[in-house]
Amino acid sequence: MVNLSSWFSVCCILLTASDPTNCLILDSSSQTRRNIIKTAAKRLIASSVVATGIFPQDALAQVTLANDSTTISDAEIKKVVESDILERQFLVTGNLTPRIYRPTALFTDEIDTYQMDQWMKGTQKLFVGEKSEIRLVGDVQVSPEQVEFRFDEDLMFRIPFRPTVALTGKVILARDEDGFITSYREFWDQNVFTVLKSAKF
């Protein structure tokens, strides 16, 4: 799942904004960082609703398998990425198409870097996919070196009171010589503090 120690401060701030009594998990004078993280984790886990039916049964298994094809064309990768954005809403559901990625692809957002399976599972658990939304801004730009697109999204966190934040940004997917994606890099137009201030409950 997504690295809790990286995301815990974001979730704790949202928890505190929704209910001041939650500030106890931020009181470092009475708790160590380890205990703060454990407390935040317990609250997040207790409030989580495990989503079902989001991924095809064998989707995650595909991550560890070799790609079916030896190369992937610009046209094909554009079609798949567009579908992942518009139909699968992969930025908020984690439901991407593994076959266009190398199994070793790394995913980096404004918080941390993850392996592909960590990013997929973590995104599913962190956000309420059916209540979040990603909108494609403009077209998906494809070159032999990369795929790039801009997004506008509303993210509902899977924590108490279901806070929703709004942000815009872009994603750059680096490609290897055979056309497959080797890395995912997400850039936000706003800083983390500004995003948190946009939270609605």
Side-chain angles (χ1 to χ4, degrees):
M1 61 182 295
V2 170
N3 190 329
L4 181 61
S5 64
S6 300
W7 272 101
F8 98 103
S9 57
V10 173
C11 293
C12 287
I13 291 171
L14 291 172
L15 280 169
T16 304
S18 64
D19 183 354
T21 62
N22 284 319
C23 67
L24 66 89
I25 65 177
L26 299 176
D27 184 3
S28 58
S29 63
S30 61
Q31 300 190 70
T32 64
R33 176 177 172 80
R34 181 186 297 273
N35 286 336
I36 291 172
I37 294 174
K38 286 175 65 177
T39 303
K42 288 179 181 178
R43 292 191 176 200
L44 290 174
I45 292 171
S47 65
S48 293
V49 177
V50 179
T52 58
I54 292 181
F55 297 122
Q57 188 171 8
D58 62 342
L60 292 177
Q62 293 181 37
V63 173
T64 58
L65 298 178
N67 297 103
D68 294 335
S69 304
T70 57
T71 61
I72 184 168
S73 68
D74 291 358
E76 181 180 2
I77 203 166
K78 179 174 182 175
K79 181 179 179 180
V80 174
V81 171
E82 285 181 340
S83 179
D84 281 354
I85 299 167
L86 299 175
E87 298 176 20
R88 299 180 182 86
Q89 296 276 293
F90 85 106
L91 289 184
V92 295
T93 65
N95 187 13
L96 53 72
T97 303
R99 68 179 178 82
I100 66 173
Y101 294 81
R102 290 301 187 190
T104 55
L106 294 178
F107 287 64
T108 303
D109 58 19
E110 296 287 5
I111 306 296
D112 210 339
T113 297
Y114 321 92
Q115 299 291 332
M116 180 158 57
D117 61 336
Q118 292 176 317
W119 186 89
M120 292 172 72
K121 294 176 182 178
T123 298
Q124 178 190 6
K125 293 179 180 179
L126 185 63
F127 304 120
V128 182
E130 63 273 20
K131 296 293 185 178
S132 301
E133 183 180 5
I134 174 174
R135 295 169 290 276
L136 178 63
V137 179
D139 196 14
V140 174
Q141 305 294 327
V142 179
S143 72
E145 294 76 29
Q146 66 181 37
V147 178
E148 180 177 345
F149 64 87
R150 291 194 56 79
F151 64 85
D152 177 4
E153 63 184 0
D154 298 311
L155 304 174
M156 178 178 284
F157 284 84
R158 200 179 292 279
I159 59 177
F161 299 97
R162 296 294 195 262
T164 300
V165 300
L167 66 140
T168 59
K170 68 178 179 180
V171 170
I172 295 179
L173 307 170
R175 303 174 71 190
D176 62 17
E177 60 184 7
D178 295 319
F180 293 97
I181 297 170
T182 57
S183 69
Y184 167 108
R185 182 67 174 93
E186 184 175 322
F187 300 90
W188 296 356
D189 294 333
Q190 306 84 10
N191 59 42
V192 174
F193 181 69
T194 301
V195 171
L196 293 178
K197 286 200 305 182
S198 75
K200 297 180 181 179
F201 299 90

